[in-house]
Amino acid sequence: MTKRIDVNNLNVYYSNFLAVEDVSLAIEPKSVTAFIGPSGCGKSTFLRTLNRMHEVIPGARVEGEVLMDGVNLYEAGVDPVAVRRHVGMVFQRPNPFPTMSIAENVLAGVKLNNKRISRADADDLVESSLRGANLWEEVKDRLDKPGSSLSGGQQQRLCIARAIAIKPDILLMDEPCSALDPISTLAIEDLMQELKDEYTIVIVTHNMQQAARVSDRTAFFNIAGTGKPGKLIEMNDTATMFSTPSEKATEDYISGRFG
Ligand SMILES: Nc1ncnc2c1ncn2[C@@H]1O[C@H](COP(=O)(O)OP(=O)(O)O)[C@@H](O)[C@H]1O
Ligand SMILES: [Mg+2]
């Protein structure tokens, strides 16, 4: 059973600056949820609260709850490292470790988390993770070559392989295609469709066509002006959001009137 997330009344701060205000939403298991909205409205900030990556920035904190299967990730005693094992993350720019081989990159997260893994298990995990990321056929003959020798699209799939190697429940992706060409973007979008059979995926995208293509549900965030907090305006089935949004601001944004 893949875990579900319920966010209740979350405020997200950078020191005294309230960056995201009073967000409540649910993320359904085994589906793709897209976060859209204009630059600076807090999509990345909010995304990082879902695996406790926000707090790695000095002064950054949250108020409210992020429940994973009913357990508040911000409760005293919850280990952020354990949270990040359940909730993996893929970033905007592919960031393989440049000096590590392709295989070592896949195992990098596992080695941080686990004590020891046998050679045979490691080989199996490298293969299954690369297959899961649709990269195996392209790299199986050069697993010992540096991760940095791959193309941008391959590097991003390598980062996805690294993220799924730790067997998370949830995968957060912050604009994972924004540095990729259209062909690589399609490869990642296809991959998301396959991965949602097993994982819960949350993707931030500034590309509305992408949100419409890949997501089951869409959340629209907006900001009233510079220095104001970002807010969740509405969230719904993607088809409904793009055909008959409830809010005027959503309609303006998706029809390209601003943002
Ligand atoms: N490390 C940080 N320290 C202080 N403020 C930040 C930091 N990162 C982002 N912010 C601010 O938080 C707000 C939301 O930013 P961000 O989450 O990056 O928006 P988006 O991803 O929607 O473009 C912006 O006002 C941004 O300047
Ligand atoms: Mg962002």
Side-chain angles (χ1 to χ4, degrees):
M1 243 300 282
T2 307
K3 294 179 167 60
R4 56 171 286 127
I5 291 184
D6 290 284
V7 177
N8 296 321
N9 305 109
L10 201 75
N11 291 323
V12 192
Y13 292 88
Y14 292 100
S15 299
N16 293 324
F17 173 55
L18 177 59
V20 179
E21 184 172 26
D22 197 25
V23 174
S24 297
L25 57 76
I27 291 168
E28 305 291 339
K30 300 198 175 181
S31 64
V32 178
T33 299
F35 293 168
I36 62 169
S39 181
C41 70
K43 304 177 297 296
S44 298
T45 298
F46 179 71
L47 189 76
R48 290 193 295 263
T49 67
L50 303 181
N51 73 344
R52 294 194 55 172
M53 285 285 284
H54 177 62
E55 70 206 49
V56 305
I57 296 158
R61 63 196 169 87
V62 307
E63 295 165 354
E65 291 183 327
V66 178
L67 304 177
M68 198 193 286
D69 276 358
V71 176
N72 184 7
L73 302 184
Y74 288 93
E75 222 163 71
V78 173
D79 175 8
V81 176
V83 171
R84 291 172 206 144
R85 205 151 55 217
H86 285 291
V87 189
M89 185 140 192
V90 174
F91 299 89
Q92 193 164 354
R93 300 210 157 261
N95 56 351
F97 297 108
T99 60
M100 287 187 189
S101 71
I102 292 168
E104 287 165 342
N105 263 285
V106 174
L107 295 172
V110 179
K111 295 207 161 145
L112 280 177
N113 278 313
N114 278 13
K115 315 106 257 179
R116 229 159 251 283
I117 169 166
S118 75
R119 180 64 203 264
D121 286 349
D123 288 349
D124 285 350
L125 186 60
V126 167
E127 178 170 345
S128 63
S129 304
L130 288 169
R131 282 190 187 282
N134 266 344
L135 188 57
W136 174 250
E137 292 300 330
E138 291 160 64
V139 301
K140 64 183 179 190
D141 298 323
R142 48 174 169 147
L143 295 173
D144 56 343
K145 296 287 183 302
S148 53
S149 67
L150 300 175
S151 73
Q154 290 172 326
Q155 288 187 20
Q156 194 59 303
R157 279 178 285 147
L158 178 59
C159 294
I160 292 171
R162 182 174 67 194
I164 62 181
I166 59 170
K167 302 190 165 55
D169 292 293
I170 297 160
L171 262 186
L172 309 178
M173 300 188 178
D174 192 351
E175 301 199 26
C177 303
S178 63
L180 304 184
D181 61 82
I183 303 281
S184 306
T185 296
L186 275 183
I188 302 281
E189 290 182 5
D190 287 345
L191 177 56
M192 280 186 245
Q193 293 305 309
E194 289 171 26
L195 290 175
K196 78 174 185 184
D197 290 342
E198 260 184 273
Y199 303 96
T200 302
I201 297 177
V202 186
I203 176 182
V204 170
T205 177
H206 63 250
N207 179 332
M208 279 173 288
Q209 286 73 30
Q210 178 167 71
R213 280 193 300 264
V214 304
S215 73
D216 301 291
R217 304 186 75 222
T218 298
F220 172 59
F221 291 80
N222 203 3
I223 183 171
T226 318
K228 297 273 188 342
K231 292 186 183 189
L232 173 65
I233 304 302
E234 66 178 302
M235 181 171 191
N236 213 328
D237 293 342
T238 297
T240 308
M241 282 288 277
F242 282 92
S243 58
T244 50
S246 315
E247 300 294 327
K248 173 82 164 49
T250 312
E251 192 182 335
D252 286 351
Y253 184 73
I254 62 180
S255 62
R257 267 188 284 251
F258 77 99

PDB file of all heavy atoms in Angstrom, residues 14 17 19 37-46 48 57 204, ligand 1:
ATOM      1  N   TYR A  14      10.540  31.337   5.678  1.00  0.00           N
ATOM      2  CA  TYR A  14      11.991  31.516   5.678  1.00  0.00           C
ATOM      3  C   TYR A  14      12.248  32.586   6.735  1.00  0.00           C
ATOM      4  O   TYR A  14      11.926  33.758   6.513  1.00  0.00           O
ATOM      5  CB  TYR A  14      12.481  32.002   4.318  1.00  0.00           C
ATOM      6  CG  TYR A  14      12.333  30.976   3.202  1.00  0.00           C
ATOM      7  CD1 TYR A  14      11.271  31.045   2.304  1.00  0.00           C
ATOM      8  CD2 TYR A  14      13.262  29.948   3.056  1.00  0.00           C
ATOM      9  CE1 TYR A  14      11.145  30.108   1.285  1.00  0.00           C
ATOM     10  CE2 TYR A  14      13.139  29.011   2.034  1.00  0.00           C
ATOM     11  CZ  TYR A  14      12.081  29.100   1.153  1.00  0.00           C
ATOM     12  OH  TYR A  14      11.957  28.178   0.140  1.00  0.00           O
ATOM     13  N   PHE A  17       9.812  35.554   7.000  1.00  0.00           N
ATOM     14  CA  PHE A  17       9.047  35.717   5.761  1.00  0.00           C
ATOM     15  C   PHE A  17       8.108  34.523   5.554  1.00  0.00           C
ATOM     16  O   PHE A  17       8.555  33.371   5.453  1.00  0.00           O
ATOM     17  CB  PHE A  17      10.004  35.851   4.579  1.00  0.00           C
ATOM     18  CG  PHE A  17       9.337  35.862   3.236  1.00  0.00           C
ATOM     19  CD1 PHE A  17       8.324  36.790   2.950  1.00  0.00           C
ATOM     20  CD2 PHE A  17       9.687  34.949   2.255  1.00  0.00           C
ATOM     21  CE1 PHE A  17       7.693  36.793   1.710  1.00  0.00           C
ATOM     22  CE2 PHE A  17       9.072  34.948   1.009  1.00  0.00           C
ATOM     23  CZ  PHE A  17       8.070  35.877   0.734  1.00  0.00           C
ATOM     24  N   ALA A  19       6.301  32.470   3.276  1.00  0.00           N
ATOM     25  CA  ALA A  19       6.394  32.234   1.828  1.00  0.00           C
ATOM     26  C   ALA A  19       5.147  31.538   1.282  1.00  0.00           C
ATOM     27  O   ALA A  19       4.739  31.796   0.153  1.00  0.00           O
ATOM     28  CB  ALA A  19       7.634  31.402   1.509  1.00  0.00           C
ATOM     29  N   GLY A  37       1.544  27.275 -11.201  1.00  0.00           N
ATOM     30  CA  GLY A  37       1.372  28.633 -10.693  1.00  0.00           C
ATOM     31  C   GLY A  37       2.548  29.494 -11.110  1.00  0.00           C
ATOM     32  O   GLY A  37       3.602  28.963 -11.478  1.00  0.00           O
ATOM     33  N   PRO A  38       2.396  30.805 -11.041  1.00  0.00           N
ATOM     34  CA  PRO A  38       3.449  31.702 -11.502  1.00  0.00           C
ATOM     35  C   PRO A  38       4.719  31.584 -10.660  1.00  0.00           C
ATOM     36  O   PRO A  38       4.676  31.145  -9.508  1.00  0.00           O
ATOM     37  CB  PRO A  38       2.835  33.099 -11.365  1.00  0.00           C
ATOM     38  CG  PRO A  38       1.736  32.947 -10.381  1.00  0.00           C
ATOM     39  CD  PRO A  38       1.223  31.551 -10.536  1.00  0.00           C
ATOM     40  N   SER A  39       5.827  31.987 -11.245  1.00  0.00           N
ATOM     41  CA  SER A  39       7.115  31.955 -10.571  1.00  0.00           C
ATOM     42  C   SER A  39       7.046  32.706  -9.240  1.00  0.00           C
ATOM     43  O   SER A  39       6.455  33.777  -9.161  1.00  0.00           O
ATOM     44  CB  SER A  39       8.136  32.599 -11.511  1.00  0.00           C
ATOM     45  OG  SER A  39       9.386  32.577 -10.930  1.00  0.00           O
ATOM     46  N   GLY A  40       7.614  32.131  -8.208  1.00  0.00           N
ATOM     47  CA  GLY A  40       7.675  32.793  -6.910  1.00  0.00           C
ATOM     48  C   GLY A  40       6.472  32.563  -6.011  1.00  0.00           C
ATOM     49  O   GLY A  40       6.410  33.094  -4.900  1.00  0.00           O
ATOM     50  N   CYS A  41       5.510  31.764  -6.468  1.00  0.00           N
ATOM     51  CA  CYS A  41       4.303  31.563  -5.650  1.00  0.00           C
ATOM     52  C   CYS A  41       4.499  30.471  -4.596  1.00  0.00           C
ATOM     53  O   CYS A  41       3.580  30.200  -3.820  1.00  0.00           O
ATOM     54  CB  CYS A  41       3.090  31.255  -6.524  1.00  0.00           C
ATOM     55  SG  CYS A  41       3.157  29.629  -7.287  1.00  0.00           S
ATOM     56  N   GLY A  42       5.677  29.852  -4.573  1.00  0.00           N
ATOM     57  CA  GLY A  42       5.973  28.935  -3.474  1.00  0.00           C
ATOM     58  C   GLY A  42       5.819  27.453  -3.800  1.00  0.00           C
ATOM     59  O   GLY A  42       5.811  26.627  -2.884  1.00  0.00           O
ATOM     60  N   LYS A  43       5.758  27.102  -5.087  1.00  0.00           N
ATOM     61  CA  LYS A  43       5.593  25.689  -5.454  1.00  0.00           C
ATOM     62  C   LYS A  43       6.756  24.844  -4.936  1.00  0.00           C
ATOM     63  O   LYS A  43       6.548  23.791  -4.338  1.00  0.00           O
ATOM     64  CB  LYS A  43       5.495  25.542  -6.982  1.00  0.00           C
ATOM     65  CG  LYS A  43       4.389  26.364  -7.616  1.00  0.00           C
ATOM     66  CD  LYS A  43       4.380  26.229  -9.133  1.00  0.00           C
ATOM     67  CE  LYS A  43       5.628  26.730  -9.856  1.00  0.00           C
ATOM     68  NZ  LYS A  43       5.877  28.190  -9.713  1.00  0.00           N
ATOM     69  N   SER A  44       7.980  25.323  -5.200  1.00  0.00           N
ATOM     70  CA  SER A  44       9.159  24.543  -4.768  1.00  0.00           C
ATOM     71  C   SER A  44       9.242  24.507  -3.246  1.00  0.00           C
ATOM     72  O   SER A  44       9.550  23.470  -2.654  1.00  0.00           O
ATOM     73  CB  SER A  44      10.441  25.166  -5.325  1.00  0.00           C
ATOM     74  OG  SER A  44      10.426  25.143  -6.725  1.00  0.00           O
ATOM     75  N   THR A  45       8.975  25.651  -2.633  1.00  0.00           N
ATOM     76  CA  THR A  45       9.019  25.740  -1.174  1.00  0.00           C
ATOM     77  C   THR A  45       8.045  24.742  -0.559  1.00  0.00           C
ATOM     78  O   THR A  45       8.401  23.973   0.345  1.00  0.00           O
ATOM     79  CB  THR A  45       8.659  27.172  -0.738  1.00  0.00           C
ATOM     80  OG1 THR A  45       9.635  28.062  -1.276  1.00  0.00           O
ATOM     81  CG2 THR A  45       8.609  27.302   0.770  1.00  0.00           C
ATOM     82  N   PHE A  46       6.821  24.745  -1.073  1.00  0.00           N
ATOM     83  CA  PHE A  46       5.815  23.833  -0.526  1.00  0.00           C
ATOM     84  C   PHE A  46       6.215  22.380  -0.783  1.00  0.00           C
ATOM     85  O   PHE A  46       6.113  21.525   0.115  1.00  0.00           O
ATOM     86  CB  PHE A  46       4.440  24.141  -1.126  1.00  0.00           C
ATOM     87  CG  PHE A  46       3.374  23.215  -0.628  1.00  0.00           C
ATOM     88  CD1 PHE A  46       2.919  23.291   0.676  1.00  0.00           C
ATOM     89  CD2 PHE A  46       2.847  22.241  -1.456  1.00  0.00           C
ATOM     90  CE1 PHE A  46       1.956  22.413   1.159  1.00  0.00           C
ATOM     91  CE2 PHE A  46       1.885  21.357  -0.985  1.00  0.00           C
ATOM     92  CZ  PHE A  46       1.438  21.445   0.318  1.00  0.00           C
ATOM     93  N   ARG A  48       9.083  21.050  -0.991  1.00  0.00           N
ATOM     94  CA  ARG A  48      10.168  20.600  -0.104  1.00  0.00           C
ATOM     95  C   ARG A  48       9.705  20.361   1.330  1.00  0.00           C
ATOM     96  O   ARG A  48      10.413  19.719   2.103  1.00  0.00           O
ATOM     97  CB  ARG A  48      11.323  21.603  -0.132  1.00  0.00           C
ATOM     98  CG  ARG A  48      12.093  21.613  -1.456  1.00  0.00           C
ATOM     99  CD  ARG A  48      13.398  22.381  -1.332  1.00  0.00           C
ATOM    100  NE  ARG A  48      13.179  23.797  -1.065  1.00  0.00           N
ATOM    101  CZ  ARG A  48      13.186  24.751  -1.995  1.00  0.00           C
ATOM    102  NH1 ARG A  48      13.423  24.439  -3.260  1.00  0.00           N
ATOM    103  NH2 ARG A  48      12.975  26.016  -1.670  1.00  0.00           N
ATOM    104  N   ILE A  57      17.465  24.644   5.089  1.00  0.00           N
ATOM    105  CA  ILE A  57      17.854  26.052   4.953  1.00  0.00           C
ATOM    106  C   ILE A  57      17.774  26.700   6.335  1.00  0.00           C
ATOM    107  O   ILE A  57      16.743  26.610   7.001  1.00  0.00           O
ATOM    108  CB  ILE A  57      16.915  26.767   3.958  1.00  0.00           C
ATOM    109  CG1 ILE A  57      17.073  26.156   2.564  1.00  0.00           C
ATOM    110  CG2 ILE A  57      17.176  28.269   3.939  1.00  0.00           C
ATOM    111  CD1 ILE A  57      15.896  26.379   1.651  1.00  0.00           C
ATOM    112  N   VAL A 204       6.201  19.545  -9.848  1.00  0.00           N
ATOM    113  CA  VAL A 204       6.039  20.977 -10.088  1.00  0.00           C
ATOM    114  C   VAL A 204       6.372  21.213 -11.549  1.00  0.00           C
ATOM    115  O   VAL A 204       7.387  20.721 -12.048  1.00  0.00           O
ATOM    116  CB  VAL A 204       7.010  21.802  -9.218  1.00  0.00           C
ATOM    117  CG1 VAL A 204       6.995  23.267  -9.648  1.00  0.00           C
ATOM    118  CG2 VAL A 204       6.662  21.664  -7.745  1.00  0.00           C
TER     119      VAL A 204
HETATM  120  N1  LIG B   1      16.260  29.907   0.440  1.00  0.00           N
HETATM  121  C1  LIG B   1      15.356  30.903   0.477  1.00  0.00           C
HETATM  122  N2  LIG B   1      15.461  31.885   1.407  1.00  0.00           N
HETATM  123  C2  LIG B   1      14.558  32.890   1.467  1.00  0.00           C
HETATM  124  N3  LIG B   1      13.500  32.989   0.650  1.00  0.00           N
HETATM  125  C3  LIG B   1      13.350  32.057  -0.302  1.00  0.00           C
HETATM  126  C4  LIG B   1      14.260  30.959  -0.437  1.00  0.00           C
HETATM  127  N4  LIG B   1      13.839  30.186  -1.474  1.00  0.00           N
HETATM  128  C5  LIG B   1      12.720  30.759  -1.953  1.00  0.00           C
HETATM  129  N5  LIG B   1      12.422  31.885  -1.245  1.00  0.00           N
HETATM  130  C6  LIG B   1      11.283  32.776  -1.479  1.00  0.00           C
HETATM  131  O1  LIG B   1      10.078  32.050  -1.280  1.00  0.00           O
HETATM  132  C7  LIG B   1       9.118  32.441  -2.251  1.00  0.00           C
HETATM  133  C8  LIG B   1       8.660  31.217  -3.024  1.00  0.00           C
HETATM  134  O2  LIG B   1       9.738  30.762  -3.818  1.00  0.00           O
HETATM  135  P1  LIG B   1       9.707  29.370  -4.592  1.00  0.00           P
HETATM  136  O3  LIG B   1       9.193  28.318  -3.684  1.00  0.00           O
HETATM  137  O4  LIG B   1      11.033  29.161  -5.198  1.00  0.00           O
HETATM  138  O5  LIG B   1       8.616  29.663  -5.734  1.00  0.00           O
HETATM  139  P2  LIG B   1       8.294  28.858  -7.081  1.00  0.00           P
HETATM  140  O6  LIG B   1       8.937  27.515  -6.973  1.00  0.00           O
HETATM  141  O7  LIG B   1       6.811  28.806  -7.153  1.00  0.00           O
HETATM  142  O8  LIG B   1       8.864  29.686  -8.199  1.00  0.00           O
HETATM  143  C9  LIG B   1       9.761  33.516  -3.119  1.00  0.00           C
HETATM  144  O9  LIG B   1       9.401  34.780  -2.598  1.00  0.00           O
HETATM  145  C10 LIG B   1      11.237  33.241  -2.922  1.00  0.00           C
HETATM  146  O10 LIG B   1      11.999  34.426  -3.092  1.00  0.00           O
END
